[in-house]
């Protein structure tokens, strides 16, 4: 009986995680495409940096701001351009989020000694951070090839290097082997530990604060209403996503560079990153810092934070509601 209950709980967590991840990814895809275009561009991505480079004799930048990038993508690729790579993104994010939430719930159940979600709110913040980090690592390894394909398809521009996901995966496998599908995995795992830990740890912390705030505001002091509203869940997810993304962005830039090494894009998109341009993660961080400055490590940070906030909020709200709905149907 207990084993059946655990299987049902795992199914609920995985299903709710997959659905919430798919919704969030589709809604925020335009911001993700702009972010990726900034991250893989070796030239400056801001008007001020471009002005500085112009004085030095180098002013060839394809994208120099969110509005300008949006206009360019819309003019050259139409609306579908903002959803480039969305299919592999969904194939990545749905199993990723499913694995992440299922593993997270299992770890929290182990740590708290209870499989009930309401008992997990009182977990130590440190256990929430550790559970989130481990869940993120498991999910990353399970879905990484789709993440790489998403980046390549979203960054290629026009004319397309690869017409679809199948063509990209076959060519990568043929030229780089199975390891090619996992290019950039190391900085991803290094990034996901603090990112997932911060995201889930801060989410649980903000949720606890909201519950305490609701209890204080309640007119009935004996039976305080601690129920967190959907808007409050949205705020908690927004804050958690923003904090995590702001801290871990440089590692995301390095990961994207590893993923697009050797991609033969049209010259108008700027300099191409040669195969094996970076020896390892440390070399990538060092080279970007030397050649592009601190701004290079934070290319795409604006659309990234703008995207991370609603993405985190939508994911957590959709997960909570889907999880509750599935639980009511299966109970």
């Amino acid at each position: 009986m207990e084993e059946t209950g655990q299987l049902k709980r795992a199914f609920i967590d995985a299903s709710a995680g997959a659905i919430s991840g798919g919704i969030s990814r589709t809604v925020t895809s335009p911001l993700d495409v702009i972010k990726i275009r900034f991250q893989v561009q070796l030239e400056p991505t801001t008007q001020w940096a471009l002005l500085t480079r112009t004085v030095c004799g180098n002013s060839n930048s394809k994208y120099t701001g969110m509005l300008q990038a949006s206009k360019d993508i819309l003019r050259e690729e139409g609306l579908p351009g903002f959803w480039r790579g969305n299919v592999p993104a969904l194939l990545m994010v749905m199993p990723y989020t499913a694995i992440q939430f299922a593993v997270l719930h299992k770890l929290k159940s182990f740590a708290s000694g209870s499989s009930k979600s309401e008992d997990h709110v009182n977990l130590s913040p440190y256990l929430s951070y550790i559970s989130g980090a481990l869940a993120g690592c498991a999910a990353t390894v399970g879905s990484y090839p789709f993440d790489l394909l998403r980046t390549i398809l979203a960054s290629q521009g026009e004319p397309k290097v690869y017409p679809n996901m199948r063509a990209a995966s076959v060519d990568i496998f043929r030229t780089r082997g199975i390891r090619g599908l996992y290019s950039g995995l190391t900085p991803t795992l290094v990034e996901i530990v603090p990112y997932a830990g911060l995201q889930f740890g801060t989410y649980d912390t903000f949720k606890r604060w909201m519950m305490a705030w609701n209890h204080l505001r309640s007119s009935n002091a004996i039976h305080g209403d601690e129920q967190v509203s959907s808007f409050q869940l949205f705020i908690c997810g927004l804050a958690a996503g923003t904090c995590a993304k702001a801290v871990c962005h440089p590692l995301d830039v390095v990961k994207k560079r590893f993923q697009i090494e050797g991609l033969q894009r049209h010259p108008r998109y700027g300099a191409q990153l040669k195969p094996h341009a970076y020896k390892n993660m440390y070399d990538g961080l060092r080279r970007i810092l030397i050649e592009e400055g601190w701004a290079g490590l934070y290319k795409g940070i604006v659309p990234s934070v703008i995207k991370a906030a609603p993405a985190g909020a939508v994911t957590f709200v959709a997960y909570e509601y889907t999880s509750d709905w599935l639980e009511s149907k299966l109970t």
Side-chain angles (χ1 to χ4, degrees), residues 41-82:
Q41 179 173 293
L42 304 187
E43 294 76 22
T45 56
T46 63
Q47 291 289 354
W48 172 251
L50 184 60
L51 180 63
T52 307
R53 284 292 184 91
T54 302
V55 174
C56 300
N58 182 359
S59 59
N60 182 29
S61 284
K62 172 66 175 172
Y63 302 119
T64 57
M66 278 191 62
L67 185 59
Q68 180 268 336
S70 302
K71 288 178 179 178
D72 265 22
I73 294 170
L74 183 62
R75 186 181 67 254
E76 296 171 0
E77 304 168 47
L79 273 176
F82 289 106

Side-chain angles (χ1 to χ4, degrees), residues 233-307:
L233 287 174
F234 183 87
I235 295 298
C236 291
L238 188 148
T242 302
C243 291
K245 185 57 70 176
V247 171
C248 303
H249 190 78
L251 289 168
D252 192 41
V253 172
V254 175
K255 176 185 82 171
K256 294 295 190 294
R257 297 293 178 88
F258 272 109
Q259 289 178 330
I260 60 107
E261 281 183 337
L263 183 65
Q264 300 294 314
R265 299 196 299 168
H266 191 279
R268 71 166 173 264
Y269 291 100
Q272 294 176 357
L273 200 63
K274 295 178 182 179
H276 311 296
Y278 306 128
K279 296 176 184 176
N280 48 47
M281 182 187 70
Y282 172 75
D283 183 56
L285 286 167
R286 185 182 63 84
R287 291 269 304 279
I288 293 170
L289 186 60
I290 291 171
E291 296 168 10
E292 304 170 48
W294 282 102
L297 292 174
Y298 281 90
K299 282 182 175 177
I301 186 63
V302 174
S304 182
V305 169
I306 293 173
K307 186 206 84 165

